[in-house]
Every structure is written in C-alpha cells, then in structure tokens.
Amino acid sequence: MHFTPQSFLEFKPLILLDKLNYVALGLFVLTFLISFKSINALSDVKLVIHRLLNTKRIVNIYIYYNLAIFVISFMTSFIWELYNNDELKVLLQDKEGFIYVAIIVFGTTLTLAFATIIYKLYRLVYGSMIINFQKHLKNLRKLDDEIST
C-alpha cells in the first residue's frame, strides 16, 4: 500500500519536480535511442568509437541527473514535511530549536548516505560493463590503426 501524506499533495515544487523528471526521462530516452541508432558497424571505426563514447556519456549524464534529483527531492520533501506536517508540529512544539537542526542534519546525512550507496552500486554494476567496453574500445582502436597503416 502506497501512502502519500496530504502535505505532499500540496507541495507544488515537488509536483513540478516530478513532472520535470518525466520530461527529462523522455528526453534521455529519445537522445539515447538516437545516439544508439547512430552506431553502425559498417561505419568508419573512428566514427563508431566516437558514437559509442557519446552514448556512454549520455548514460553517465542521466545517472548523475537521477542522483541529483534524488538528493534534491528527498531533502526538499524532508524539510517540507518537517515544517508542514501538523502531526510532526504537535510532536515537536515543546522542543527547542536545536531539535529541528538535529533532525535536518540527520536527514541530510541519511540522504547523502543513500545517494552514496546508490552511486556505489551503480559503479559496481556499470563499472564491470565499462571494463568490457574499454577492452572492446581498445580492440577497435587497434583495428583502426591496422587499417590506417
């Protein structure tokens, strides 16, 4: 069961960010498909290498974009919920201001820890693919050198 707090439904920046994320996803898929379709084994080796590297760059940009959006949306929604959720306000109304700061520091640390874990997992999975890619790229360059001479 998915639960969305009522205060999130009223949070316009998060709604806007969600819509922006769908536009970015569409643009990424379109850009990736165009770049991927441009890779042709019958093309000049240097052109193939260039197009492969361009496709790899597009994937990297999208991964970093997603990590940035994760951190921004998580922190924004965390702080929004802290100051706009009536149940939390009641729980924290008798507490001093440093409690809010401690909660924000904890939320920031938690967000950055999650983002780091996601990034490390991405590097682990994607890194193994990149090692194979680098080997194939080296072979393509060697083939290009042999053809050129």
Side-chain angles (χ1 to χ4, degrees):
M1 184 170 146
H2 179 69
F3 174 73
T4 304
Q6 183 63 35
S7 61
F8 276 9
L9 299 175
E10 300 164 2
F11 188 40
K12 303 293 184 215
L14 196 58
I15 294 168
L16 182 65
L17 191 61
D18 191 43
K19 290 178 182 179
L20 176 70
N21 211 16
Y22 282 114
V23 170
L25 176 63
L27 289 173
F28 165 73
V29 168
L30 182 65
T31 307
F32 178 79
L33 285 175
I34 289 169
S35 180
F36 184 75
K37 290 275 188 184
S38 72
I39 299 170
N40 185 348
L42 300 176
S43 297
D44 178 36
V45 175
K46 288 183 182 180
L47 186 60
V48 170
I49 292 171
H50 173 72
R51 288 180 176 165
L52 285 170
L53 291 173
N54 188 45
T55 303
K56 178 183 170 274
R57 186 178 56 83
I58 291 169
V59 171
N60 280 336
I61 289 170
Y62 186 68
I63 296 296
Y64 293 127
Y65 166 80
N66 271 323
L67 283 172
I69 290 298
F70 169 77
V71 170
I72 291 168
S73 62
F74 197 88
M75 285 306 303
T76 305
S77 59
F78 179 77
I79 292 170
W80 170 267
E81 193 64 21
L82 185 62
Y83 287 104
N84 292 294
N85 185 315
D86 293 332
E87 294 170 6
L88 279 174
K89 282 183 181 179
V90 169
L91 286 173
L92 296 172
Q93 75 185 26
D94 296 333
K95 309 297 180 206
E96 295 180 29
F98 80 94
I99 295 289
Y100 280 102
V101 173
I103 291 172
I104 290 173
V105 167
F106 174 74
T108 302
T109 305
L110 189 64
T111 301
L112 294 176
F114 280 143
T116 302
I117 290 169
I118 291 169
Y119 177 74
K120 294 291 184 182
L121 286 172
Y122 155 72
R123 295 302 298 172
L124 180 69
V125 172
Y126 191 62
S128 64
M129 287 186 242
I130 290 299
I131 290 170
N132 288 332
F133 175 74
Q134 295 295 350
K135 288 178 187 175
H136 294 301
L137 195 59
K138 185 178 176 182
N139 290 338
L140 277 174
R141 287 186 174 142
K142 193 182 296 182
L143 178 66
D144 184 45
D145 290 341
E146 288 174 8
I147 292 171
S148 296
T149 56

